[in-house]
Amino acid sequence: MNVKNVKRVTIKPNIWDLLYIPAIIGGLSITFKHLFKKHITLEYPDEKWFPPPGYRGAIRLNRDELGREKCVACEMCATACPANAISMQGGAAPWDDREKYPIWYKIDMLRCILCGMCEEACPEEAIELTVIYDFADYTRESLIWDKERLLKNYDLTKDGNYYKRQLEENKKR
Amino acid sequence: MTQTGNIILDVVIIVIKIVIVLGVNLTIVAYLTLAERRVSAFMQDRLGPNRVGPAGLLQPIADGIKFFTKEEIIPAQSSKLIYLMAPSFVLFPAFLTYAVIPVGPTFSAWGYSFQMEIANLNIGILYILALTSFVVYGVVLAGWSSNSKYPLIGGLRSAAQMISYELPLGLSIIGVLMIVGSLRLSEIVNFQTHLLWGFLPRWNVVLQPLGFLIFLIAAFAESNRLPFDMAEAEPELVGGYHTEYGSMKFASFMLGEYAGMITSAALMTTLFFGGWDFPWVNESALGVWGILLAVIAFSLKTGFFLFLYLWVRWTLPRFRYDQLMRLGWKILLPLALVNIVVTAIVMAFLA
Ligand code: SF4
Ligand code: SF4
């Protein structure tokens, strides 16, 4: 690479620039204009941010048409998970259309890095990431989500209006 | 009325005035802290604190409660007495200066002549300059007694800065004093109530534009506000001289700083923008309405300068320390001297 061609430009300030006052007044007028501009603040608990499609938030376990979990306890997701967040125990399914189902299924949301690998790996489309971004909690135990909690996430987000509903609840209060 | 009766009446009136002035100023200081945050937010297209009370108007009260209930921490290695005294050195002078600033014309009612200032000192402007230079002690002692490196650097910087800028500050006023011929603030204002060539308000800013500019810059430096807040300089000094201070002691510094802003805004109004004068109106002839008009004019002008403080703060970046010193000693000081000489020559020719 030839760096010799770099041209140095020195701008010599003229008297007008050296006074600084015109420049200061220019700056002041810019900040003054901003006083009346539209605010971009999102007043968070009152207003909600709607994540764009493809957003990777909290995880859910999908249900099938009959309301049962789709998961067949194949452990593909647990294998794929780079954070080792998923654990489960498979057992003989009580239904005829599949052999196995998860007796218990847990995701440690403290370990989960929301990478979406589980969703990619799942052959049954049984696990998915949702739009939920505000699932902070007070204890570590409550952030280890079991099957019921994950299925509940599905019920909350299946219509895609999770935050819209929250907003309406806010308004009612 | 008897002699003693007169004295008692005087004392009562002065006490009432003190209470009013202090109350009003403390309120303004409290709301200035809110205004600062709101204005800065608006300038950055944000909203600022708006959740305590309607439009955030109760925020200063919440802040006050927070400051009072915070844990008092005194660093183990500090010089305790000086450490505890330093905030008051900043706080009290700033409030004492309001005593001499006239907010309206003198008027008589019921055979008594009311003055719209607490004390009509014949050396009013010297009194203010003397008290404002007291603030530097508070800042330096705070930096020194904290026994910690950042406060020390902040304190030293601000000592150098405030002493350097006191010179141009004092010299820039001399032009005004030469024209008016009095150190009494009420007389300086009275001088400005007349008209120049029949249409222009004879405000000193018209007669002394350069003097005003120097005073404005020096006042910004004196009150340690951006672009001259070397003493605090959060990014480099963590907060400067008050790094080790917490709870109400820290709040005292803040109150002192904002009170100092009000002082210099009021001083700018009084010295250069006609004080309580509403141009083209003779307030003294309007009775009570005149007084009201004068007070409103004074408040509006002072309010504008307070806004200017916030406005400049969110516009200009901080000066570098050597630039600050160069500006003070090599530019403002000679300019202030030139201003005095030119004023003197012009006055000699006009006389
Ligand atoms: S999103 Fe990633 S880290 Fe979280 S459970 Fe799925 S695979 Fe594991
Ligand atoms: S990959 Fe899908 S089907 Fe297999 S265990 Fe995980 S969630 Fe269940």
Side-chain angles (χ1 to χ4, degrees):
Chain A
M1 254 219 294
N2 188 0
V3 267
K4 276 182 196 155
N5 286 338
V6 173
K7 204 170 131 198
R8 269 181 183 277
V9 184
T10 331
I11 298 171
K12 249 192 129 190
N14 56 29
I15 299 272
W16 185 250
D17 295 335
L18 282 176
L19 269 179
Y20 292 111
I21 292 164
I24 291 174
I25 291 174
L28 286 175
S29 72
I30 288 176
T31 39
F32 193 74
K33 272 182 221 143
H34 274 272
L35 274 182
F36 308 104
K37 283 212 174 136
K38 203 174 157 288
H39 309 300
I40 52 170
T41 310
L42 182 94
E43 293 186 70
Y44 169 61
D46 300 340
E47 299 170 18
K48 295 282 180 185
W49 175 62
F50 294 100
Y55 184 82
R56 301 201 307 260
I59 298 170
R60 73 183 191 196
L61 275 183
N62 290 346
R63 292 182 194 274
D64 64 7
E65 312 79 58
L66 298 174
R68 309 168 298 185
E69 60 266 31
K70 274 188 178 175
C71 176
V72 294
C74 67
E75 304 217 2
M76 294 281 266
C77 52
T79 315
C81 178
N84 259 341
I86 305 179
S87 53
M88 75 191 77
Q89 189 187 348
W95 311 300
D96 297 336
D97 56 346
R98 64 190 76 161
E99 284 167 17
K100 281 172 82 190
Y101 91 116
I103 299 174
W104 55 263
Y105 187 105
K106 272 184 187 155
I107 299 185
D108 184 348
M109 291 311 285
L110 293 167
R111 301 196 65 146
C112 173
I113 54 171
L114 303 172
C115 65
M117 294 300 269
C118 43
E119 179 178 338
E120 301 266 317
C122 181
E124 299 287 327
E125 299 197 349
I127 188 167
E128 257 173 36
L129 272 62
T130 65
V131 291
I132 304 175
Y133 50 77
D134 46 355
F135 52 91
D137 216 328
Y138 291 101
T139 60
R140 285 164 184 274
E141 291 71 36
S142 58
L143 276 163
I144 300 173
W145 288 356
D146 57 6
K147 199 163 69 178
E148 279 64 49
R149 179 75 173 78
L150 292 161
L151 287 169
K152 197 184 105 201
N153 272 358
Y154 173 78
D155 299 336
L156 284 173
T157 53
K158 65 180 167 206
D159 61 350
N161 287 335
Y162 181 68
Y163 284 113
K164 222 177 259 169
R165 255 183 287 123
Q166 284 211 341
L167 259 189
E168 273 153 27
E169 272 166 39
N170 268 353
K171 265 184 211 133
K172 263 181 236 154
R173 247 187 278 137
Chain B
M1 217 184 280
T2 58
Q3 194 70 33
T4 40
N6 253 339
I7 290 173
I8 291 172
L9 186 65
D10 277 346
V11 169
V12 167
I13 285 177
I14 285 178
V15 167
I16 292 174
K17 279 197 254 187
I18 291 175
V19 169
I20 292 176
V21 167
L22 257 189
V24 168
N25 277 308
L26 276 172
T27 318
I28 296 176
V29 164
Y31 277 94
L32 211 51
T33 60
L34 175 67
E36 167 124 81
R37 281 175 279 170
R38 289 287 273 181
V39 167
S40 70
F42 283 157
M43 281 180 178
Q44 296 163 354
D45 297 343
R46 296 183 288 115
L47 277 173
N50 65 346
R51 301 199 64 90
V52 192
L57 283 180
L58 298 181
Q59 183 76 34
I61 297 170
D63 284 341
I65 294 172
K66 186 194 82 175
F67 275 129
F68 270 114
T69 50
K70 264 196 164 178
E71 187 188 356
E72 292 270 347
I73 294 175
I74 300 174
Q77 301 297 314
S78 62
S79 326
K80 293 222 172 51
L81 183 66
I82 302 177
Y83 178 83
L84 292 175
M85 260 162 51
S88 48
F89 274 120
V90 175
L91 188 59
F92 291 123
F95 280 110
L96 285 176
T97 49
Y98 300 136
V100 293
I101 293 171
V103 296
T106 306
F107 69 103
S108 5
W110 308 292
Y112 188 87
S113 130
F114 285 97
Q115 289 171 339
M116 296 295 273
E117 63 257 50
I118 295 172
N120 192 357
L121 280 188
N122 53 0
I123 50 158
I125 189 72
L126 287 186
Y127 168 81
I128 291 183
L129 287 181
L131 276 176
T132 46
S133 53
F134 230 92
V135 172
V136 70
Y137 287 104
V139 173
V140 172
L141 289 180
W144 176 259
S145 64
S146 297
N147 204 1
S148 160
K149 56 182 179 274
Y150 294 123
L152 182 61
I153 297 173
L156 287 180
R157 275 188 187 183
S158 87
Q161 172 188 335
M162 287 171 132
I163 290 166
S164 330
Y165 275 82
E166 222 140 73
L167 267 159
L169 186 83
L171 289 177
S172 66
I173 302 176
I174 289 183
V176 172
L177 301 182
M178 279 158 68
I179 295 174
V180 179
S182 171
L183 294 169
R184 202 186 279 272
L185 286 176
S186 55
E187 258 164 55
I188 296 177
V189 176
N190 275 332
F191 173 85
Q192 297 176 84
T193 52
H194 301 283
L195 289 182
L196 197 63
W197 305 310
F199 66 96
L200 211 58
R202 194 167 69 179
W203 291 356
N204 280 325
V205 67
V206 182
L207 307 173
Q208 290 277 315
L210 186 61
F212 169 66
L213 203 63
I214 297 167
F215 184 82
L216 182 74
I217 299 172
F220 268 81
E222 273 293 296
S223 47
N224 269 328
R225 293 282 300 181
L226 246 108
F228 303 107
D229 68 338
M230 305 309 303
E232 287 167 51
E234 301 92 341
E236 0 172 343
L237 293 185
V238 201
Y241 62 92
H242 54 54
T243 304
E244 302 288 345
Y245 281 84
S247 73
M248 209 49 213
K249 300 192 292 302
F250 170 75
S252 310
F253 278 124
M254 289 312 270
L255 293 183
E257 184 184 325
Y258 285 103
M261 271 165 67
I262 301 178
T263 308
S264 43
L267 206 56
M268 272 180 238
T269 310
T270 310
L271 289 177
F272 292 97
F273 279 80
W276 43 259
D277 171 44
F278 194 91
W280 309 292
V281 176
N282 185 3
E283 286 88 354
S284 320
L286 286 176
V288 179
W289 296 111
I291 305 290
L292 206 64
L293 189 69
V295 173
I296 290 173
F298 179 83
S299 319
L300 282 182
K301 289 180 207 170
T302 310
F304 170 76
F305 283 111
L306 288 176
F307 175 70
L308 187 71
Y309 266 102
L310 310 182
W311 189 8
V312 167
R313 166 159 189 188
W314 299 102
T315 302
L316 297 182
R318 180 179 298 120
F319 270 61
R320 214 170 54 209
Y321 188 62
D322 60 322
Q323 293 171 332
L324 177 90
M325 284 295 155
R326 198 174 62 206
L327 179 70
W329 288 105
K330 289 194 179 168
I331 298 174
L332 290 187
L333 185 63
L335 273 183
L337 291 172
V338 167
N339 187 39
I340 294 172
V341 172
V342 170
T343 311
I345 292 173
V346 171
M347 279 178 70
F349 270 106
L350 289 183

